[in-house]
Amino acid sequence: MDFAGQRLSELMYQITILLFAVLSFAVGYATSSFRTMMLLYAAGVVVAFVIAVPDWPYFNLHPQHWLAVDASHPNWDVKVG
């Protein structure tokens, strides 16, 4: 997952949790059921987990290009510690 993918994952997670929190509160209030509210919110957490946690391909659209290893580096064989 690249850096832009991490930002997108976090944004998707936060939006999903917020939407399910508002929806679950409204449904729980309308039905006067704390259990329904908590079950709907738990479903939102599961949906957010499935959306944001796995390394989906759309999180890797901006790969980081690293520098090549320089084999002639003067301190290449130095052991620290």
Side-chain angles (χ1 to χ4, degrees), residues 32-80:
S32 298
S33 174
F34 183 76
R35 183 176 189 272
T36 302
M37 179 187 73
M38 291 307 293
L39 287 174
L40 189 58
Y41 182 73
V45 170
V46 170
V47 168
F49 180 83
V50 169
I51 290 173
V53 172
D55 191 17
W56 298 106
Y58 56 85
F59 291 141
N60 296 315
L61 297 178
H62 308 283
Q64 184 70 31
H65 299 289
W66 300 95
L67 296 175
V69 175
D70 184 12
S72 64
H73 190 274
N75 295 329
W76 186 256
D77 292 331
V78 174
K79 302 290 184 196
V80 177

Side-chain angles (χ1 to χ4, degrees), residues 15-31:
I15 289 173
T16 304
I17 291 294
L18 180 65
L19 288 176
F20 270 90
V22 170
L23 179 67
S24 67
F25 178 77
V27 170
Y29 186 78
T31 61

